[in-house]
Amino acid sequence: MAHGSRQHLAYELFRRYEGNPILEANDWPYPVNSVFNPAAIKLPDGTLLLARVEDMRGFSHLTLCKSKDGLTNWQIDDAPTMEADHDSREERWGLEDPRIVWLEEQGHFAITYVSFSEGGPLVSLAITKNFKTFARMGAMLPPEDKDACLFPRRFDGRFALIHRPIVQGEAHIWLSMSPDLKHWGDHRVLLRTRHAFWDGQRIGLACQPIEIPEGWLIFYHGVRATTAGQIYRIGLALLDLEQPWKVLRRSEEWILGPRAVYERIGDVSDVVFVTGATVNEENNRLYLYYGAADDKIAVAMANMDAIREYIMMCPEVNGD
Ligand code: BMA
């Protein structure tokens, strides 16, 4: 497949919802500075977002929003749904950037989020069945670590976590394994930053892994440092279905980047930061939920078959 036509497909793969942004600080039932970077999951009665909400101290908490069609008429909790546990030293400065998966075997949802304090950001785990009561399982790995999500099932009896530690100043995406969600090992780099590319400075997982027949679709954000500041865009990789530490393919180009005014201008300009996705069976579309310029929530959609066609056109990755 010619490289030009693949770039063409990448350019037009995702369509922004015409009602964007779907959620902003003004929609909130209580005073807040900004709402962004939401986890997303599809439930039988609609779509649930767990939004990152920044208060006017600059600290974040998480608030639940529900909508039947995942686009309009959001019911927003009238108080924070998950607040920092101030008795725990790890989250004195708040909770950020959650991701959600449904653990079928365990029969509950797993929320991985960033706990922030003077010790540095780290990834914590909370378990829930109903999004009303949450069992806090504590820190998963030491700081500095962000952008984490579990896979919805185990591999040879072990859970797998994608995360993004900073190691010797480098920000690559890692994969770690655990028999019990508490003890983590077999740490390895999954995807590396690519010098000179759009994702040359830092990368991190975007939404939860999406299972397709060809493998696990991994959306990730990539950062480029420019003289005018940093640009956050989204790319795509494909992992082996049974051995998710094997990267099969990776997009050379980004598939979503700041272009609309609400992505270009905000608290942090030029940021598209995807943290949640749902698969809409009715129209065979993937909905990507993202923080736009760090102060509002937007959604972009693509046909699942077109995403599969695109990722299978992307270059194969041969080991690391
Ligand atoms: C990252 C995270 C995100 C944020 C992004 C852009 O480091 O902290 O929460 O959206 O920067 O500012």
PDB file of all heavy atoms in Angstrom, residues 35-56:
ATOM      1  N   VAL A  35     -12.577  20.829  33.084  1.00  0.00           N
ATOM      2  CA  VAL A  35     -12.921  19.395  33.056  1.00  0.00           C
ATOM      3  C   VAL A  35     -12.261  18.797  31.814  1.00  0.00           C
ATOM      4  O   VAL A  35     -12.374  19.363  30.729  1.00  0.00           O
ATOM      5  CB  VAL A  35     -14.445  19.170  33.061  1.00  0.00           C
ATOM      6  CG1 VAL A  35     -15.066  19.814  34.278  1.00  0.00           C
ATOM      7  CG2 VAL A  35     -15.128  19.689  31.823  1.00  0.00           C
ATOM      8  N   PHE A  36     -11.562  17.685  31.990  1.00  0.00           N
ATOM      9  CA  PHE A  36     -10.808  17.125  30.861  1.00  0.00           C
ATOM     10  C   PHE A  36     -10.422  15.675  31.132  1.00  0.00           C
ATOM     11  O   PHE A  36     -10.852  15.091  32.120  1.00  0.00           O
ATOM     12  CB  PHE A  36      -9.597  18.013  30.520  1.00  0.00           C
ATOM     13  CG  PHE A  36      -8.625  18.328  31.637  1.00  0.00           C
ATOM     14  CD1 PHE A  36      -7.280  18.004  31.519  1.00  0.00           C
ATOM     15  CD2 PHE A  36      -9.034  18.993  32.785  1.00  0.00           C
ATOM     16  CE1 PHE A  36      -6.371  18.311  32.525  1.00  0.00           C
ATOM     17  CE2 PHE A  36      -8.128  19.306  33.798  1.00  0.00           C
ATOM     18  CZ  PHE A  36      -6.802  18.958  33.663  1.00  0.00           C
ATOM     19  N   ASN A  37      -9.680  15.078  30.220  1.00  0.00           N
ATOM     20  CA  ASN A  37      -9.086  13.740  30.335  1.00  0.00           C
ATOM     21  C   ASN A  37      -9.989  12.718  31.049  1.00  0.00           C
ATOM     22  O   ASN A  37      -9.634  12.222  32.121  1.00  0.00           O
ATOM     23  CB  ASN A  37      -7.730  13.848  31.038  1.00  0.00           C
ATOM     24  CG  ASN A  37      -6.778  14.780  30.318  1.00  0.00           C
ATOM     25  OD1 ASN A  37      -7.115  15.368  29.297  1.00  0.00           O
ATOM     26  ND2 ASN A  37      -5.562  14.926  30.818  1.00  0.00           N
ATOM     27  N   PRO A  38     -11.140  12.355  30.459  1.00  0.00           N
ATOM     28  CA  PRO A  38     -12.079  11.442  31.117  1.00  0.00           C
ATOM     29  C   PRO A  38     -11.836   9.969  30.763  1.00  0.00           C
ATOM     30  O   PRO A  38     -11.520   9.639  29.623  1.00  0.00           O
ATOM     31  CB  PRO A  38     -13.421  11.874  30.506  1.00  0.00           C
ATOM     32  CG  PRO A  38     -13.040  12.248  29.100  1.00  0.00           C
ATOM     33  CD  PRO A  38     -11.648  12.824  29.148  1.00  0.00           C
ATOM     34  N   ALA A  39     -12.017   9.087  31.754  1.00  0.00           N
ATOM     35  CA  ALA A  39     -12.127   7.660  31.439  1.00  0.00           C
ATOM     36  C   ALA A  39     -13.517   7.455  30.852  1.00  0.00           C
ATOM     37  O   ALA A  39     -14.443   8.205  31.169  1.00  0.00           O
ATOM     38  CB  ALA A  39     -11.966   6.840  32.706  1.00  0.00           C
ATOM     39  N   ALA A  40     -13.678   6.444  29.989  1.00  0.00           N
ATOM     40  CA  ALA A  40     -14.986   6.191  29.385  1.00  0.00           C
ATOM     41  C   ALA A  40     -15.240   4.693  29.349  1.00  0.00           C
ATOM     42  O   ALA A  40     -14.312   3.895  29.149  1.00  0.00           O
ATOM     43  CB  ALA A  40     -15.030   6.749  27.963  1.00  0.00           C
ATOM     44  N   ILE A  41     -16.509   4.319  29.564  1.00  0.00           N
ATOM     45  CA  ILE A  41     -16.893   2.914  29.446  1.00  0.00           C
ATOM     46  C   ILE A  41     -18.365   2.827  29.064  1.00  0.00           C
ATOM     47  O   ILE A  41     -19.160   3.688  29.444  1.00  0.00           O
ATOM     48  CB  ILE A  41     -16.568   2.133  30.762  1.00  0.00           C
ATOM     49  CG1 ILE A  41     -16.599   0.626  30.548  1.00  0.00           C
ATOM     50  CG2 ILE A  41     -17.488   2.525  31.906  1.00  0.00           C
ATOM     51  CD1 ILE A  41     -15.316  -0.061  30.876  1.00  0.00           C
ATOM     52  N   LYS A  42     -18.691   1.808  28.286  1.00  0.00           N
ATOM     53  CA  LYS A  42     -20.075   1.610  27.847  1.00  0.00           C
ATOM     54  C   LYS A  42     -20.764   0.682  28.834  1.00  0.00           C
ATOM     55  O   LYS A  42     -20.260  -0.399  29.145  1.00  0.00           O
ATOM     56  CB  LYS A  42     -20.038   0.981  26.447  1.00  0.00           C
ATOM     57  CG  LYS A  42     -21.323   0.985  25.712  1.00  0.00           C
ATOM     58  CD  LYS A  42     -21.385   2.110  24.690  1.00  0.00           C
ATOM     59  CE  LYS A  42     -22.795   2.323  24.198  1.00  0.00           C
ATOM     60  NZ  LYS A  42     -23.168   1.442  23.098  1.00  0.00           N
ATOM     61  N   LEU A  43     -21.936   1.093  29.322  1.00  0.00           N
ATOM     62  CA  LEU A  43     -22.753   0.259  30.204  1.00  0.00           C
ATOM     63  C   LEU A  43     -24.046  -0.073  29.454  1.00  0.00           C
ATOM     64  O   LEU A  43     -24.347   0.572  28.441  1.00  0.00           O
ATOM     65  CB  LEU A  43     -23.075   1.012  31.499  1.00  0.00           C
ATOM     66  CG  LEU A  43     -21.876   1.490  32.315  1.00  0.00           C
ATOM     67  CD1 LEU A  43     -22.339   2.263  33.548  1.00  0.00           C
ATOM     68  CD2 LEU A  43     -21.012   0.310  32.734  1.00  0.00           C
ATOM     69  N   PRO A  44     -24.844  -1.034  29.933  1.00  0.00           N
ATOM     70  CA  PRO A  44     -26.062  -1.385  29.198  1.00  0.00           C
ATOM     71  C   PRO A  44     -26.990  -0.181  28.981  1.00  0.00           C
ATOM     72  O   PRO A  44     -27.669  -0.102  27.961  1.00  0.00           O
ATOM     73  CB  PRO A  44     -26.731  -2.429  30.096  1.00  0.00           C
ATOM     74  CG  PRO A  44     -25.628  -2.979  30.927  1.00  0.00           C
ATOM     75  CD  PRO A  44     -24.606  -1.905  31.089  1.00  0.00           C
ATOM     76  N   ASP A  45     -27.001   0.769  29.921  1.00  0.00           N
ATOM     77  CA  ASP A  45     -27.936   1.888  29.787  1.00  0.00           C
ATOM     78  C   ASP A  45     -27.278   3.177  29.298  1.00  0.00           C
ATOM     79  O   ASP A  45     -27.856   4.250  29.410  1.00  0.00           O
ATOM     80  CB  ASP A  45     -28.662   2.132  31.114  1.00  0.00           C
ATOM     81  CG  ASP A  45     -27.692   2.423  32.248  1.00  0.00           C
ATOM     82  OD1 ASP A  45     -26.482   2.147  32.081  1.00  0.00           O
ATOM     83  OD2 ASP A  45     -28.124   2.928  33.290  1.00  0.00           O
ATOM     84  N   GLY A  46     -26.089   3.090  28.752  1.00  0.00           N
ATOM     85  CA  GLY A  46     -25.470   4.296  28.197  1.00  0.00           C
ATOM     86  C   GLY A  46     -23.974   4.347  28.436  1.00  0.00           C
ATOM     87  O   GLY A  46     -23.350   3.335  28.756  1.00  0.00           O
ATOM     88  N   THR A  47     -23.432   5.556  28.250  1.00  0.00           N
ATOM     89  CA  THR A  47     -21.982   5.751  28.378  1.00  0.00           C
ATOM     90  C   THR A  47     -21.687   6.467  29.682  1.00  0.00           C
ATOM     91  O   THR A  47     -22.404   7.389  30.066  1.00  0.00           O
ATOM     92  CB  THR A  47     -21.469   6.580  27.192  1.00  0.00           C
ATOM     93  OG1 THR A  47     -21.667   5.811  26.012  1.00  0.00           O
ATOM     94  CG2 THR A  47     -19.990   6.909  27.324  1.00  0.00           C
ATOM     95  N   LEU A  48     -20.637   6.016  30.336  1.00  0.00           N
ATOM     96  CA  LEU A  48     -20.224   6.629  31.587  1.00  0.00           C
ATOM     97  C   LEU A  48     -18.845   7.248  31.395  1.00  0.00           C
ATOM     98  O   LEU A  48     -17.948   6.609  30.827  1.00  0.00           O
ATOM     99  CB  LEU A  48     -20.186   5.528  32.643  1.00  0.00           C
ATOM    100  CG  LEU A  48     -19.810   5.852  34.070  1.00  0.00           C
ATOM    101  CD1 LEU A  48     -20.531   4.914  35.006  1.00  0.00           C
ATOM    102  CD2 LEU A  48     -18.309   5.729  34.255  1.00  0.00           C
ATOM    103  N   LEU A  49     -18.699   8.484  31.800  1.00  0.00           N
ATOM    104  CA  LEU A  49     -17.384   9.132  31.822  1.00  0.00           C
ATOM    105  C   LEU A  49     -17.017   9.402  33.273  1.00  0.00           C
ATOM    106  O   LEU A  49     -17.872   9.781  34.074  1.00  0.00           O
ATOM    107  CB  LEU A  49     -17.391  10.466  31.072  1.00  0.00           C
ATOM    108  CG  LEU A  49     -17.733  10.493  29.591  1.00  0.00           C
ATOM    109  CD1 LEU A  49     -17.567  11.914  29.044  1.00  0.00           C
ATOM    110  CD2 LEU A  49     -16.882   9.520  28.792  1.00  0.00           C
ATOM    111  N   LEU A  50     -15.748   9.209  33.584  1.00  0.00           N
ATOM    112  CA  LEU A  50     -15.216   9.633  34.868  1.00  0.00           C
ATOM    113  C   LEU A  50     -14.236  10.750  34.516  1.00  0.00           C
ATOM    114  O   LEU A  50     -13.140  10.493  34.024  1.00  0.00           O
ATOM    115  CB  LEU A  50     -14.528   8.450  35.552  1.00  0.00           C
ATOM    116  CG  LEU A  50     -14.242   8.573  37.040  1.00  0.00           C
ATOM    117  CD1 LEU A  50     -15.490   8.882  37.850  1.00  0.00           C
ATOM    118  CD2 LEU A  50     -13.597   7.285  37.552  1.00  0.00           C
ATOM    119  N   ALA A  51     -14.711  11.990  34.692  1.00  0.00           N
ATOM    120  CA  ALA A  51     -13.942  13.140  34.199  1.00  0.00           C
ATOM    121  C   ALA A  51     -12.942  13.605  35.246  1.00  0.00           C
ATOM    122  O   ALA A  51     -13.208  13.558  36.451  1.00  0.00           O
ATOM    123  CB  ALA A  51     -14.893  14.282  33.870  1.00  0.00           C
ATOM    124  N   ARG A  52     -11.818  14.080  34.778  1.00  0.00           N
ATOM    125  CA  ARG A  52     -10.886  14.780  35.660  1.00  0.00           C
ATOM    126  C   ARG A  52     -11.381  16.212  35.789  1.00  0.00           C
ATOM    127  O   ARG A  52     -11.605  16.890  34.780  1.00  0.00           O
ATOM    128  CB  ARG A  52      -9.485  14.752  35.064  1.00  0.00           C
ATOM    129  CG  ARG A  52      -8.534  15.656  35.822  1.00  0.00           C
ATOM    130  CD  ARG A  52      -7.130  15.554  35.290  1.00  0.00           C
ATOM    131  NE  ARG A  52      -6.271  16.543  35.902  1.00  0.00           N
ATOM    132  CZ  ARG A  52      -5.042  16.819  35.510  1.00  0.00           C
ATOM    133  NH1 ARG A  52      -4.525  16.140  34.492  1.00  0.00           N
ATOM    134  NH2 ARG A  52      -4.330  17.735  36.120  1.00  0.00           N
ATOM    135  N   VAL A  53     -11.566  16.655  37.011  1.00  0.00           N
ATOM    136  CA  VAL A  53     -12.085  17.992  37.271  1.00  0.00           C
ATOM    137  C   VAL A  53     -11.065  18.739  38.113  1.00  0.00           C
ATOM    138  O   VAL A  53     -10.679  18.263  39.183  1.00  0.00           O
ATOM    139  CB  VAL A  53     -13.433  17.897  38.028  1.00  0.00           C
ATOM    140  CG1 VAL A  53     -13.973  19.285  38.326  1.00  0.00           C
ATOM    141  CG2 VAL A  53     -14.442  17.091  37.220  1.00  0.00           C
ATOM    142  N   GLU A  54     -10.642  19.895  37.635  1.00  0.00           N
ATOM    143  CA  GLU A  54      -9.650  20.669  38.393  1.00  0.00           C
ATOM    144  C   GLU A  54     -10.364  21.777  39.154  1.00  0.00           C
ATOM    145  O   GLU A  54     -11.143  22.541  38.571  1.00  0.00           O
ATOM    146  CB  GLU A  54      -8.610  21.254  37.440  1.00  0.00           C
ATOM    147  CG  GLU A  54      -7.392  21.778  38.171  1.00  0.00           C
ATOM    148  CD  GLU A  54      -6.426  22.484  37.230  1.00  0.00           C
ATOM    149  OE1 GLU A  54      -5.562  21.814  36.649  1.00  0.00           O
ATOM    150  OE2 GLU A  54      -6.571  23.717  37.081  1.00  0.00           O
ATOM    151  N   ASP A  55     -10.129  21.824  40.462  1.00  0.00           N
ATOM    152  CA  ASP A  55     -10.768  22.859  41.280  1.00  0.00           C
ATOM    153  C   ASP A  55      -9.927  24.144  41.244  1.00  0.00           C
ATOM    154  O   ASP A  55      -8.932  24.221  40.515  1.00  0.00           O
ATOM    155  CB  ASP A  55     -11.013  22.348  42.712  1.00  0.00           C
ATOM    156  CG  ASP A  55      -9.724  22.084  43.479  1.00  0.00           C
ATOM    157  OD1 ASP A  55      -8.668  22.669  43.135  1.00  0.00           O
ATOM    158  OD2 ASP A  55      -9.764  21.278  44.431  1.00  0.00           O
ATOM    159  N   MET A  56     -10.342  25.129  42.023  1.00  0.00           N
ATOM    160  CA  MET A  56      -9.667  26.416  41.903  1.00  0.00           C
ATOM    161  C   MET A  56      -8.481  26.566  42.849  1.00  0.00           C
ATOM    162  O   MET A  56      -7.928  27.655  43.014  1.00  0.00           O
ATOM    163  CB  MET A  56     -10.683  27.543  42.023  1.00  0.00           C
ATOM    164  CG  MET A  56     -11.380  27.633  40.662  1.00  0.00           C
ATOM    165  SD  MET A  56     -13.061  28.083  40.716  1.00  0.00           S
ATOM    166  CE  MET A  56     -12.890  29.808  40.934  1.00  0.00           C
TER     167      MET A  56
END
